[in-house]
């Protein structure tokens, strides 16, 4: 408009048009300012704020103040919040002493008084009437040892083998099969290296320093070669796990970025991806990691072509086309829907609507938790679980859907709340499908939990040195995380596999080494 009134038109109609235009521009700038303010608040929360998405006790209490009659905020607490919430004071449980496992080796140390001290002043010898005990936890640091294999040779001193045409002149025991035949590492050392890197997130260059401190110099390139060879020897196990995961009734899928050096035709800074699938028998799940150069729809199509069952993912568009397959039922993730509302709540001071949405989603999780507890305690059957879940959840769905549709007409679409509402409505047909089967859950948290160990490791080793290394890492992560998912200690499992895989010949031999087929009683035995 300019700063001088002389530039204003004299015509009333034009003045009105100019005023309306200025008002619209001012409204647009105010909206942009509000959006930018919300985004800054969200970024500050991500950098400096708490990472948990759970509502606090105060936030749960505030949720009860909504005017809507249907509003009964229920988050997903460890225990149901009571109606009476004390804020001014609280009780603190005393610290619990660490319980030491009974199966740890124990060394008894007796601290006794001298024979002179056992004599009473009256001349009698004192009798033992009891004892006081205390236990201390000790550790023996890791140390190397050398397994020296000796194979005696035998020959006949008389005829030098000329008379025995059916046997060789010199006889010697066959060499013990090893997973790396011409290398120096045992199955135990290889299992230790793999668990340290893929379970404890220790980069190989740090391992070389640890090994040097306890007396053995091993080059990082040597460790890399061992990891690649071990992964190659486990290729058959990975192929079987992939077939098993596709045979189950449900697959959860997710992906996370990874930087890989030396990819053909790409800069080293180009982003690649680690895809993770969780499926198979719901009681004995498989975690399968796969490295790919991109995040395109061709990746899930590659692994899920011909698959029949439920596919549960977030709303990423790469899953949309495979989710439209007539043999696949695409299930959504409530955790991702909830995350949008949580971010909107963190970014604005007007939290009423976001907390209302979170309260609806909290109800879904509360119902799920209660029914799962009853199912685990065998108070209800799987059929009754599915029926009860539908009966209790569908009224919440109906009310929440009506609320979302109402909000979609009043909130700014480009705002964080508007985006959360639009995402939830867009995913609605998938979000409600978890009600169909007992093995389906409201979210993909199980597969996201499987991604976390990889993300922690990525922060330590930063990148993979080559595509071959990324493929090897995916295979070994699959074995480690599947063992953990089936309640098997990773080191014991890998040592068992590395001991026996040189003897495996048939499909049955390899299948017996899979985490979900393994006879756990064999883990403490020695190699054949």
């Amino acid at each position: 408009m300019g700063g001088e009134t002389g530039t204003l038109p004299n015509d009333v109609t034009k003045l009105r048009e100019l005023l309306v235009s200025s008002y619209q521009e001012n409204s647009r700038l105010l909206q942009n300012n509000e959006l930018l303010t919300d985004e800054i608040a969200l970024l500050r929360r991500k950098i400096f704020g708490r990472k948990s998405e759970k509502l606090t006790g105060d936030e749960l209490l505030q949720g009860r103040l909504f005017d809507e009659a249907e509003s009964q905020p229920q988050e997903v607490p460890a225990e149901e919040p009571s109606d009476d919430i004390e804020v001014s004071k609280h009780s603190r449980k005393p610290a619990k002493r660490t319980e030491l496992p009974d199966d740890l080796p124990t060394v008894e140390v007796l601290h006794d008084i001298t024979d002179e001290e056992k004599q009473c002043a009256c001349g009698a010898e004192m009798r033992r009437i009891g004892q006081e005990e205390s236990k201390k936890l000790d550790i023996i640091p890791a140390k190397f040892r050398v397994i020296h294999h000796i194979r005696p040779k035998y020959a006949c001193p008389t005829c030098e083998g000329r008379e025995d045409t059916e046997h060789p002149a010199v006889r010697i025991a066959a060499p013990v099969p090893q997973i790396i035949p011409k290398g120096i590492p045992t199955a135990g050392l290889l299992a230790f290296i793999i668990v340290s890197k893929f379970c404890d997130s220790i980069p190989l260059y740090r391992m070389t320093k640890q090994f040097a401190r306890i007396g053995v110099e091993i080059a990082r390139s040597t460790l890399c070669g061992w990891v690649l060879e071990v992964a190659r020897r486990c290729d058959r196990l990975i192929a079987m796990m992939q077939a098993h995961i596709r045979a189950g009734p449900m697959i959860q899928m997710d992906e996370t970025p990874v930087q890989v050096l030396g990819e053909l035709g790409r800069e080293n800074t180009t982003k690649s991806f680690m895809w993770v699938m969780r499926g198979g028998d719901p009681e004995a799940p498989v975690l399968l990691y796969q490295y790919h150069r991109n995040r395109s729809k061709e990746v899930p199509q590659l692994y899920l072509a011909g698959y029949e069952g439920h596919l549960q993912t977030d709303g990423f568009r790469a899953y949309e086309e495979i989710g439209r397959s007539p043999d696949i039922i695409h299930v959504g993730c409530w955790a991702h829907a909830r995350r949008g509302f949580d971010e909107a709540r963190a970014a604005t001071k007007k939290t009423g609507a976001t907390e209302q949405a979170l309260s609806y989603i909290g109800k879904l999780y509360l119902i799920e938790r209660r029914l799962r507890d009853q199912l685990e305690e065998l108070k209800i059957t799987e059929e009754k679980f599915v029926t009860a879940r539908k009966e209790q959840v569908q009224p919440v769905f109906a009310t929440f859907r009506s609320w979302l549709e109402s909000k979609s007409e009043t909130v700014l679409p480009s705002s964080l709340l508007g985006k959360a509402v639009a995402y939830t409505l867009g995913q609605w047909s998938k979000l409600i499908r978890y009600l169909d089967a007992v093995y389906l859950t409201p979210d993909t948290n199980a597969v996201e939990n499987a991604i976390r160990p990889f993300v922690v490791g990525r922060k330590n080793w930063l990148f993979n040195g080559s595509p071959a290394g990324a493929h090897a890492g995916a295979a070994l992560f699959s074995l480690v995380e599947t063992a953990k998912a089936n309640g098997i200690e990773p080191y014991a499992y890998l040592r068992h596999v590395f001991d026996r895989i040189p003897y495996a010949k048939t499909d049955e031999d390899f299948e017996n080494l899979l985490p979900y087929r393994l006879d756990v009683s064999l883990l403490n035995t020695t190699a054949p």
Side-chain angles (χ1 to χ4, degrees):
M1 290 176 56
E4 299 178 5
T5 59
T7 60
L8 295 175
N10 294 323
D11 186 83
V12 175
T13 303
K14 290 183 179 180
L15 280 172
R16 184 180 293 108
E17 291 175 353
L18 186 60
L19 182 61
V20 170
S21 175
S22 300
Y23 176 79
Q24 292 174 344
E25 177 65 14
N26 185 60
S27 297
R28 186 185 66 81
L29 292 174
L30 288 174
Q31 289 177 351
N32 288 341
N33 180 69
E34 185 177 352
L35 290 175
L36 292 173
T37 302
D38 288 351
E39 289 179 0
I40 292 172
L42 178 60
L43 289 173
R44 284 177 174 171
R45 185 238 182 157
K46 288 183 175 181
I47 297 174
F48 304 110
R50 62 187 178 94
K51 299 299 185 292
S52 174
E53 296 175 359
K54 290 184 177 181
L55 296 180
T56 64
D58 288 345
E59 290 163 346
L60 283 169
L61 184 60
Q62 290 170 5
R64 300 177 187 271
L65 304 178
F66 294 139
D67 294 330
E68 289 88 346
E70 70 276 12
S71 171
Q72 295 178 5
Q74 298 286 357
E75 185 48 23
V76 198
E79 295 180 359
E80 250 186 278
S82 63
D83 290 331
D84 299 324
I85 300 179
E86 275 195 22
V87 179
S88 59
K89 61 180 180 179
H90 66 278
S91 60
R92 181 171 297 174
K93 294 181 179 179
K96 187 177 181 181
R97 189 178 183 87
T98 302
E99 295 293 335
L100 301 179
D102 294 332
D103 57 349
L104 287 179
T106 301
V107 177
E108 291 188 354
V109 180
L110 181 64
H111 303 277
D112 204 355
I113 59 179
T114 64
D115 291 340
E116 290 77 6
E117 291 174 316
K118 295 177 184 178
Q119 295 293 326
C120 183
C122 69
E125 184 176 355
M126 304 183 75
R127 295 181 180 179
R128 183 171 178 172
I129 58 173
Q131 62 187 27
E132 291 188 7
E133 300 180 9
S134 64
K135 293 182 178 181
K136 308 294 181 182
L137 188 62
D138 189 26
I139 186 172
I140 301 174
K143 59 182 179 181
F144 285 103
R145 66 175 182 175
V146 176
I147 307 298
H148 190 185
H149 294 271
I150 301 173
R151 295 186 293 145
K153 294 181 178 180
Y154 296 90
C156 178
T158 303
C159 71
E160 297 183 350
R162 292 189 299 271
E163 301 298 327
D164 191 346
T165 58
E166 296 181 0
H167 299 90
V170 178
R171 302 175 191 177
I172 186 173
V176 178
Q178 302 286 337
I179 190 169
I180 301 181
K182 296 183 179 180
I184 62 172
T186 64
L189 177 57
L190 292 172
F192 178 84
I193 292 170
I194 301 305
V195 168
S196 296
K197 178 173 174 63
F198 298 102
C199 192
D200 300 329
S201 305
I202 301 176
L204 295 181
Y205 78 89
R206 290 186 193 168
M207 269 184 259
T208 61
K209 296 179 180 180
Q210 291 178 340
F211 292 164
R213 287 201 301 269
I214 54 179
V216 176
E217 299 278 354
I218 304 178
R220 178 178 172 274
S221 59
T222 301
L223 297 182
C224 291
W226 290 350
V227 171
L228 291 174
E229 179 62 16
V230 165
R232 186 191 67 80
R233 295 296 300 272
C234 294
D235 280 347
R236 200 162 170 181
L237 295 179
I238 301 302
M240 290 179 169
M241 290 169 64
Q242 185 172 337
H244 182 77
I245 206 172
R246 289 162 52 87
M250 184 267 290
I251 293 177
Q252 292 183 338
M253 200 166 184
D254 205 352
E255 76 292 327
T256 189
V258 61
Q259 186 178 355
V260 180
L261 307 184
E263 292 179 315
L264 185 62
R266 308 179 89 195
E267 298 290 337
N268 284 338
T269 54
T270 306
K271 187 182 298 183
S272 299
F273 287 87
M274 187 68 74
W275 294 73
V276 185
M277 293 185 288
R278 187 182 193 274
D281 184 349
E283 299 300 322
V286 174
L287 276 301
L288 193 64
Y289 294 70
Q290 297 288 343
Y291 150 70
H292 280 273
R293 288 159 57 106
N294 56 53
R295 199 187 182 195
S296 68
K297 63 183 180 181
E298 284 76 17
V299 178
Q301 290 174 347
L302 173 66
Y303 290 105
L304 300 176
Y307 168 69
E308 298 179 6
H310 290 89
L311 170 65
Q312 189 170 28
T313 71
D314 57 24
F316 180 49
R317 61 183 180 274
Y319 302 112
E320 291 297 326
E321 187 167 333
I322 190 67
R324 288 192 289 268
S325 169
D327 297 322
I328 292 178
I329 302 174
H330 198 179
V331 185
C333 173
W334 275 105
H336 284 81
R338 184 190 186 282
R339 195 164 298 157
F341 292 106
D342 183 73
E343 291 179 351
R345 176 175 64 94
T348 181
K349 296 179 180 179
K350 301 175 182 179
T351 59
T354 56
E355 288 178 352
Q356 177 65 36
L358 293 173
S359 73
Y360 284 122
I361 300 174
K363 283 184 181 181
L364 304 179
Y365 278 91
L366 183 60
I367 293 169
E368 184 76 10
R369 180 174 63 83
R370 283 174 172 170
L371 292 177
R372 288 285 174 190
D373 288 345
Q374 294 178 27
L375 184 63
E376 291 177 3
E377 296 169 2
L378 303 179
K379 294 181 179 179
I380 56 175
T381 63
E382 292 187 355
E383 292 76 11
K384 289 184 177 180
F385 170 86
V386 173
T387 301
R389 182 166 65 176
K390 287 182 179 180
E391 291 175 350
Q392 296 180 37
V393 165
Q394 284 174 342
V396 182
F397 278 166
T399 308
F400 190 23
R401 177 64 186 262
S402 177
W403 183 89
L404 288 168
E405 291 174 343
S406 174
K407 282 296 176 185
S408 68
E409 298 175 355
T410 59
V411 298
L412 190 66
S414 56
S415 67
L416 293 177
L417 177 59
K419 291 177 181 178
V421 170
Y423 178 89
T424 306
L425 286 174
Q427 292 286 307
W428 189 262
S429 62
K430 304 181 187 70
L431 290 170
I432 63 177
R433 286 178 179 158
Y434 81 92
L435 300 181
D436 295 341
V438 66
Y439 50 79
L440 293 174
T441 59
D443 52 50
T444 59
N445 283 354
V447 73
E448 283 203 357
N449 289 338
I451 284 181
R452 287 194 179 95
F454 176 83
V455 173
V456 173
R458 185 180 61 197
K459 290 179 179 178
N460 286 288
W461 61 69
L462 301 180
F463 53 81
N464 288 101
S466 67
H471 283 297
L476 295 170
F477 259 116
S478 300
L479 292 175
V480 167
E481 291 302 317
T482 301
K484 289 165 59 177
N486 286 271
I488 303 175
E489 198 280 314
Y491 173 80
Y493 169 70
L494 291 179
R495 179 162 191 158
H496 174 85
V497 169
F498 297 163
D499 266 333
R500 284 157 176 75
I501 209 168
Y503 297 89
K505 306 296 181 185
T506 66
D507 284 346
E508 184 179 2
D509 293 336
F510 283 93
E511 286 175 355
N512 289 335
L513 296 178
L514 295 168
Y516 48 88
R517 290 283 302 274
L518 182 70
D519 182 357
V520 182
S521 65
L522 299 175
L523 288 182
N524 294 325
T525 63
T526 57

